[in-house]
Amino acid sequence: MTVAEELIPETPDESEEPIKQRKNGLYPGVSDELAENMKSGWADTELRDLEPIPQAVETAARRAALSARFPGERLVIPAGNLKTRSNDTEYAFRASVEYAYLTGNQTEDGVLVLEPKDEGHEATIYLLPRSDRENGEFWLDGQGELWVGRRHSLTEAGTLYGIPASDVRELAGALREATGPVRVVRGYDAGIEAALTDKVTAERDEELRVFLSEARLVKDEFEVGELQKAVDSTVRGFEDVVKVLDKAEATSERYIEGTFFLRARVEGNDVGYGTIAAAGPHACTLHWVRNDGAVRSGELLLLDAGVETHTYYTADVTRTLPINGRFSEIQRQIYDAVYEAQEAGIAAVKPGAKYRDFHDAAQRVLTERLVEWGLVEGPVERVLELGLQRRWTLHGTGHMLGMDVHDCAAARVEAYVDGVLEPGMCLTVEPGLYFQADDLTVPEEYRGIGVRIEDDILVTDDGNRNLSAALPRRSDEVEAWMASLKS
């Protein structure tokens, strides 16, 4: 018997606990007359002309690959639940990447279950149905339709996602009674995990998570298109920022953050991660997301930002820009070194190359410049062997990119950083140099300067393609681009 077959809808008992009212709400209760009135007089809004979502073919293929990897086992992949921000307000919901990758659905409380069959699996997507009109949920409950918007009916969901849909409120009970081997993706839905607590092991569940992470290493055609869409919107967001740098100078880094966010929300779902709008010495803080500092002419702005599409694919691009439109001599010297390192890193991205090659190539160039400037004693091989350049380079030169900004993070080391590049992989190349304001080992003119240049690179059959090539990188091209946007 499948979980779906085990689910028997229960008729609400008259003694069922009523929908909770807000403690300090202005209405103390609901009269019988109003309750009866609210049950009727509503048009039929069922959507009957829906088409499957654009990625339905791809999500079906992904589920088939998952089924082939774990034959004979029940697989449970939750979307997650709403998280409280404060009191009765919640954070904006973002479904787990594993769930969204396999279904295309993004609603809270959803769960994908793959039931083992003689051959393969049968998939069911468990969702909250439309809020109930009979018990008043749709207008009295804080998550009811009149408060937060209409949910798809289960029939509609089945059409959209190409998966039979059932009521998720009955799933936990059925899972408690289910037998046979089962795996669950942990960390998203405590109720589902509790229902499976005596049926799963951490080791087996981790194997499921690792498989789903590695499955995303090579992007399909749909994913590449979404990543390009995210990058294209991001390019426009950077253009927006350059056009308003004078307003940012009059206010703070938050004007930059807000300007980019507007583009992300208009053209996409959100930003893919907290925007880094780091002006002046803040550029030396790798993940500066407070964005509350001053924006001053003559200093640099390090903007690390990415638009997330409606399907959760995110860009991740960084440019370091002279706020007044022109690099000073020392700023250009440092910037050009980072640019040269990035060029070397991008050239090393090709099928068959080791994943680490682009990092090593970029680090070598930066180390050569540090030795040349007298900031660290050579030879270059010694510095690299001891990692002494890391005082100023700090971080790795890139990471996989996709539905997470640091995508595929649970993949095995041998499949990721110790692996080999294949066509369809997408990664960032982002070398940087950071001279902290209090670093007494470098000349004063270096202090407080941070430079990073980051692009999103797709591995192709014959090399690579820079998805973010529309944004200028060379220092003279950056200056010309900024001037054209301000004219």
Side-chain angles (χ1 to χ4, degrees):
M1 181 180 294
T2 68
V3 167
E5 291 168 337
E6 293 171 21
L7 300 182
I8 302 173
E10 296 177 359
T11 304
D13 193 296
E14 290 187 1
S15 62
E16 188 178 65
E17 184 179 343
I19 295 170
K20 292 181 67 173
Q21 300 292 298
R22 184 176 295 175
K23 181 178 181 180
N24 286 305
L26 293 175
Y27 291 107
V30 178
S31 68
D32 292 341
E33 290 77 8
L34 176 58
E36 194 61 33
N37 176 274
M38 290 297 287
K39 290 179 182 180
S40 60
W42 305 101
D44 177 9
T45 59
E46 182 74 8
L47 304 176
R48 297 179 172 84
D49 56 353
L50 294 174
E51 297 290 334
I53 58 174
Q55 69 268 43
V57 172
E58 286 80 7
T59 55
R62 297 166 194 168
R63 293 192 299 275
L66 176 61
S67 172
R69 171 62 180 81
F70 297 104
E73 301 183 56
R74 178 178 284 117
L75 307 174
V76 182
I77 301 94
N81 315 123
L82 290 173
K83 295 182 180 179
T84 299
R85 180 178 184 272
S86 178
N87 189 29
D88 59 352
T89 60
E90 292 84 23
Y91 287 105
F93 180 74
R94 190 182 191 275
S96 75
V97 165
E98 295 88 349
Y99 174 86
Y101 177 75
L102 292 167
T103 66
N105 178 257
Q106 299 175 11
T107 54
E108 66 269 17
D109 301 327
V111 184
L112 173 68
V113 178
L114 269 62
E115 292 285 348
K117 296 294 183 183
D118 291 338
E119 294 186 7
H121 288 77
E122 181 178 85
T124 303
I125 188 170
Y126 290 88
L127 301 167
L128 287 170
R130 291 191 62 186
S131 49
D132 198 326
R133 300 268 169 155
E134 280 300 307
N135 68 2
E137 175 194 359
F138 79 108
W139 70 286
L140 290 173
D141 188 274
Q143 295 299 318
E145 190 168 297
L146 299 194
W147 287 95
V148 299
R150 182 187 186 277
R151 293 192 289 265
H152 282 298
S153 72
L154 297 180
T155 300
E156 292 168 356
T159 300
L160 284 170
Y161 306 111
I163 314 170
S166 292
D167 190 340
V168 73
R169 294 173 297 186
E170 309 296 334
L171 178 59
L175 288 175
R176 276 191 287 269
E177 301 301 321
T179 58
V182 59
R183 298 177 191 251
V184 63
V185 176
R186 300 189 181 201
Y188 298 116
D189 193 317
I192 293 298
E193 288 181 40
L196 295 169
T197 186
D198 60 341
K199 307 176 192 299
V200 295
T201 68
E203 181 180 4
R204 286 162 51 79
D205 291 347
E206 180 64 10
E207 288 175 352
L208 172 60
R209 189 171 79 104
V210 168
F211 174 82
L212 289 173
S213 195
E214 292 183 8
R216 303 197 307 275
L217 283 169
V218 175
K219 271 59 182 178
D220 58 37
E221 186 176 351
F222 175 85
E223 292 178 290
V224 172
E226 289 299 290
L227 284 167
Q228 187 65 69
K229 189 187 303 181
V231 169
D232 292 345
S233 290
T234 298
V235 168
R236 289 187 283 272
F238 274 70
E239 292 171 347
D240 295 340
V241 167
V242 171
K243 292 175 182 177
V244 299
L245 280 177
D246 57 333
K247 294 182 173 63
E249 286 188 62
T251 52
S252 76
E253 295 162 338
R254 291 198 173 176
Y255 203 97
I256 294 165
E257 177 187 351
T259 298
F260 187 85
F261 181 69
L262 177 61
R263 177 68 64 175
R265 286 292 281 169
V266 168
E267 294 193 1
N269 178 56
D270 206 329
V271 289
Y273 53 95
T275 296
I276 299 168
H282 289 162
C284 299
T285 301
L286 299 183
H287 289 169
W288 177 260
V289 293
R290 299 179 202 171
N291 299 337
D292 58 1
V295 179
R296 303 182 184 91
S297 178
E299 296 186 333
L300 298 176
L301 167 69
L302 190 157
L303 178 59
D304 185 336
V307 173
E308 177 186 83
T309 67
H310 293 290
T311 55
Y312 287 175
Y313 290 86
T314 184
D316 183 7
V317 177
T318 305
R319 289 294 182 270
T320 304
L321 311 172
I323 292 167
N324 63 10
R326 300 287 296 180
F327 290 100
S328 70
E329 183 178 350
I330 187 64
Q331 289 169 350
R332 189 183 304 274
Q333 173 187 313
I334 296 169
Y335 184 95
D336 287 350
V338 175
Y339 170 76
E340 185 184 349
Q342 195 201 26
E343 283 282 273
I346 292 173
V349 176
K350 53 191 174 184
K354 294 178 181 178
Y355 176 86
R356 292 179 181 272
D357 286 352
F358 75 93
H359 169 71
D360 293 341
Q363 287 291 299
R364 175 169 291 277
V365 171
L366 294 178
T367 302
E368 289 170 350
R369 296 297 159 266
L370 292 167
V371 170
E372 177 186 314
W373 299 338
L375 302 184
V376 63
E377 182 181 349
V380 168
E381 293 299 336
R382 168 186 168 272
V383 176
L384 288 169
E385 182 180 354
L386 298 175
L388 300 179
Q389 83 284 1
R390 293 179 61 186
R391 181 182 179 102
W392 303 285
T393 65
L394 292 177
H395 55 79
T397 309
H399 52 80
M400 291 295 180
L401 185 67
M403 297 182 82
D404 280 327
V405 65
H406 296 146
D407 207 28
C408 312
R412 293 167 298 160
V413 172
E414 58 266 31
Y416 192 156
V417 295
D418 287 343
V420 173
L421 296 179
E422 300 178 40
M425 289 182 171
C426 188
L427 52 91
T428 68
V429 178
E430 50 175 315
L433 282 174
Y434 312 91
F435 299 101
Q436 306 300 325
D438 59 350
D439 188 350
L440 301 181
T441 70
V442 300
E444 187 174 358
E445 62 179 347
Y446 287 79
R447 297 173 198 166
I449 295 178
V451 174
R452 180 164 67 253
I453 311 171
E454 177 181 21
D455 285 89
D456 301 343
I457 310 298
L458 174 70
V459 184
T460 62
D461 290 334
D462 57 357
N464 69 67
R465 173 157 57 97
N466 185 348
L467 301 181
S468 45
L471 272 182
R473 292 185 295 125
R474 210 173 65 205
S475 57
D476 59 335
E477 293 175 342
V478 167
E479 290 174 332
W481 170 69
M482 293 181 70
S484 71
L485 291 172
K486 292 183 176 182
S487 61

